[in-house]
Amino acid sequence: MEKLTLVKVGGKIVEEPQSLKQLLSDFSKIKGYKVLVHGGGRSATALAAKLGIESKMVNGRRITDEETLKVVTMVYGGLVNKQIVAGLQAIGVNALGLTGADMNYMRSEKRPVKDVDYGFVGDVKEVNADILADLIGKGVVPVLAPLTHDKEGNLLNTNADTIAGEAAKALAGHFEVTLMYCFEKKGVLTDENDDESVISNLTPELFEKYVAEGVINGGMIPKLENSFEALNAGVRAVVITRADLIHTDGGTKIEL
Amino acid sequence: MEKLTLVKVGGKIVEEPQSLKQLLSDFSKIKGYKVLVHGGGRSATALAAKLGIESKMVNGRRITDEETLKVVTMVYGGLVNKQIVAGLQAIGVNALGLTGADMNYMRSEKRPVKDVDYGFVGDVKEVNADILADLIGKGVVPVLAPLTHDKEGNLLNTNADTIAGEAAKALAGHFEVTLMYCFEKKGVLTDENDDESVISNLTPELFEKYVAEGVINGGMIPKLENSFEALNAGVRAVVITRADLIHTDGGTKIEL
């Protein structure tokens, strides 16, 4: 199978013209087939504020009422996604911006109300990777916005990390997939105060050892558990790194 | 060649949930391959107003400064386009929302400043129909937003009628294309006060006769001249009709 790199970047880096330009340049240098998944939360919060809509977050997730859904549809599906697509086209990358509704590539269901009513937020139920894989094989580079749909006419807000993980797992049937999560550090650190203490390679055994020793802790644990889940579902490698290192061998590489 | 119907609808009909639902149902009943092109001007004007941005129109065209470009990118490329796509998916139409930047299907150039500086408005220079035709052949129904790009990183605002005409001409190399323009009347009328006085069939000869007699006048003349231009470029037929009649044989059919 051919190699495919799926890169997930957060909102901040794609929301400022200078950092976006650098990111797209770095992304274009990745060899082989590729997919980009983006956030856009800061722009959504900013637009909502201008429109007098309060942004409510619970556990880091946006409560998405009807008006907020319109805001994220405009910002994620329109502004951020299309600026990335146009920026990639300018440097010769044949980008195609998609929400889950487009070609029904990712279907979700509205999250059931338990302790929290998240509103129009979707949990992924089905990924149709065939048509994506076909386009990728023709040189198209999908740019995935953090929006899905329920195939009943409703768009749903879906976390970009989730979109990345689900797309990577589904594409693993067609490609040898490396899933790359970008965050603000160079990788998983053994010492949070030392940015150079990057763990280059992580296995399930090493992960358990580091957790037992308290070297890996806090929010990094669920992030890595999700990574192992993707690996168990067929993704070849997960890399956790900083956005400016995506075209290098830097960061923490996680393999089974 | 197989038949393809390309339907252009204005903003108003796609911007209200009830009329949108009816339109999508009617559109889904069109047999054979199809493409939908939409506007969204009313929503853009409404969002701009909420954000304190004044909408300036000259000759019916929006002056698109940097802030207005963001508004139309959000509204045309995000809100309106994705609501249509999700609505079509719900009734079994495999829609894919596109701006000209997506897969570089439509490249334009910023309109040169003459008497009026339209700002970030694009005049179409190149349509890449091959990849669109390939997707259409696989059952995908493109939903085209009135946005293009210059392949230098800039999105550009482009009139939906123009998008429809240019896409129809380019797709005429792959399909037997009928280009359908929807407006508020049932067709081209011989008596503007009689909604039933629809000219069923129009040819260049009849058009000249009606213009000479003053039966066809005003804004309908450039609309029909554009239609003949599309026909001369290979489009099989142009139909001018009301949106609720797109799945019928109604309206004015124009052929060479």
Side-chain angles (χ1 to χ4, degrees):
Chain A
M1 287 201 282
E2 306 223 47
K3 287 180 201 294
L4 179 141
T5 307
L6 191 148
V7 177
K8 186 264 165 175
V9 291
K12 192 176 181 189
I13 197 156
V14 297
E15 292 170 295
E16 286 161 19
Q18 273 312 311
S19 59
L20 173 61
K21 200 171 174 185
Q22 185 60 49
L23 170 77
L24 299 186
S25 168
D26 292 337
F27 178 73
S28 75
K29 289 173 190 153
I30 295 174
K31 295 210 175 7
Y33 295 123
K34 43 192 180 277
V35 175
L36 185 61
V37 182
H38 64 84
R42 285 167 187 78
S43 297
T45 298
L47 178 63
K50 280 189 190 167
L51 295 172
I53 300 164
E54 190 191 345
S55 291
K56 286 171 232 141
M57 311 293 285
V58 174
N59 304 326
R61 302 296 164 95
R62 188 178 301 271
I63 304 289
T64 309
D65 63 12
E66 203 173 329
E67 287 307 306
T68 303
L69 181 65
K70 287 183 187 170
V71 167
V72 297
T73 302
M74 291 194 287
V75 171
Y76 302 162
L79 191 65
V80 176
N81 189 267
K82 298 312 174 191
Q83 284 182 343
I84 291 174
V85 169
L88 285 172
Q89 289 289 351
I91 54 174
V93 177
N94 194 14
L96 165 63
L98 298 171
T99 69
D102 294 293
M103 300 186 296
N104 184 34
Y105 98 82
M106 196 177 282
R107 183 179 66 79
S108 65
E109 284 176 10
K110 189 167 178 291
R111 184 169 300 167
V113 179
K114 290 178 186 164
D115 298 345
V116 181
D117 182 357
Y118 285 95
F120 292 98
V121 164
D123 294 320
V124 176
K125 294 296 169 188
E126 187 188 356
V127 185
N128 299 310
D130 289 2
I131 199 154
L132 276 194
D134 184 55
L135 283 167
I136 291 166
K138 293 192 166 114
V140 171
V141 175
V143 176
L144 309 181
L147 293 166
T148 55
H149 79 138
D150 63 3
K151 218 174 180 301
E152 292 171 8
N154 302 299
L155 294 158
L156 294 166
N157 188 8
T158 299
N159 181 269
D161 280 1
T162 305
I163 299 265
E166 295 293 337
K169 287 190 275 182
L171 287 167
H174 300 265
F175 301 96
E176 192 183 308
V177 175
T178 296
L179 168 57
M180 209 173 252
Y181 283 115
C182 298
F183 79 139
E184 68 278 11
K185 303 284 186 185
K186 284 186 177 175
V188 184
L189 306 179
T190 53
D191 175 358
E192 62 181 316
N193 298 313
D194 178 4
D195 274 1
E196 301 307 317
S197 68
V198 176
I199 303 169
S200 300
N201 292 284
L202 200 58
T203 58
E205 298 72 33
L206 264 175
F207 172 65
E208 283 185 26
K209 176 174 169 286
Y210 281 134
V211 171
E213 291 170 356
V215 170
I216 293 175
N217 54 47
M220 188 51 78
I221 294 177
K223 202 185 276 266
L224 289 171
E225 283 171 345
N226 286 339
S227 301
F228 286 116
E229 193 212 312
L231 294 169
N232 283 316
V235 171
R236 189 64 61 98
V238 176
V239 175
I240 297 186
T241 191
R242 213 169 60 193
D244 60 321
L245 300 173
I246 54 175
H247 62 303
T248 72
D249 282 332
T252 298
K253 188 169 189 181
I254 311 161
E255 290 174 295
L256 293 185
Chain B
M1 287 200 283
E2 306 223 46
K3 287 180 201 293
L4 179 143
T5 307
L6 190 149
V7 177
K8 185 264 165 175
V9 292
K12 192 176 180 188
I13 198 156
V14 296
E15 291 170 296
E16 286 161 21
Q18 272 313 311
S19 59
L20 173 60
K21 199 171 175 186
Q22 184 62 48
L23 170 77
L24 299 185
S25 167
D26 292 338
F27 177 74
S28 75
K29 289 174 189 151
I30 295 173
K31 294 208 177 10
Y33 295 124
K34 44 192 180 274
V35 175
L36 185 61
V37 182
H38 63 84
R42 285 168 187 79
S43 296
T45 298
L47 179 63
K50 279 188 192 169
L51 295 171
I53 301 164
E54 192 192 345
S55 290
K56 287 170 231 141
M57 311 293 286
V58 174
N59 305 326
R61 302 295 164 98
R62 187 179 302 270
I63 304 290
T64 309
D65 62 12
E66 203 173 329
E67 288 306 306
T68 302
L69 180 65
K70 286 183 187 169
V71 167
V72 298
T73 301
M74 291 194 286
V75 171
Y76 302 163
L79 191 64
V80 176
N81 190 267
K82 298 312 173 190
Q83 284 182 343
I84 292 173
V85 169
L88 285 172
Q89 289 289 352
I91 53 173
V93 176
N94 194 13
L96 166 63
L98 298 171
T99 69
D102 295 293
M103 299 186 295
N104 184 32
Y105 98 81
M106 195 176 284
R107 184 179 66 79
S108 64
E109 283 175 10
K110 190 168 178 289
R111 183 169 301 168
V113 178
K114 291 178 186 164
D115 299 344
V116 181
D117 182 357
Y118 285 95
F120 292 99
V121 163
D123 294 320
V124 176
K125 294 296 167 187
E126 187 188 355
V127 185
N128 298 312
D130 289 3
I131 199 155
L132 275 195
D134 184 55
L135 283 167
I136 292 166
K138 292 192 166 115
V140 170
V141 175
V143 176
L144 309 180
L147 293 166
T148 55
H149 78 138
D150 63 3
K151 216 171 181 305
E152 292 171 9
N154 302 299
L155 294 157
L156 293 166
N157 189 7
T158 298
N159 180 270
D161 279 1
T162 305
I163 300 265
E166 295 293 337
K169 286 190 276 182
L171 287 166
H174 300 266
F175 300 96
E176 191 183 309
V177 176
T178 296
L179 168 56
M180 210 172 251
Y181 283 115
C182 298
F183 79 138
E184 67 279 10
K185 304 283 187 186
K186 283 186 178 176
V188 184
L189 306 179
T190 53
D191 175 357
E192 61 180 318
N193 298 314
D194 177 5
D195 273 1
E196 302 306 319
S197 67
V198 176
I199 302 169
S200 300
N201 291 284
L202 200 59
T203 58
E205 298 73 32
L206 263 174
F207 172 64
E208 283 185 27
K209 177 173 169 286
Y210 282 134
V211 171
E213 291 171 355
V215 170
I216 292 175
N217 54 48
M220 189 50 80
I221 293 176
K223 201 185 278 268
L224 289 171
E225 283 170 346
N226 285 339
S227 301
F228 287 116
E229 193 212 312
L231 294 169
N232 283 316
V235 171
R236 189 63 63 95
V238 177
V239 174
I240 296 185
T241 190
R242 213 169 60 193
D244 60 319
L245 300 172
I246 54 175
H247 61 302
T248 72
D249 282 333
T252 298
K253 189 170 189 179
I254 311 162
E255 289 174 296
L256 293 184

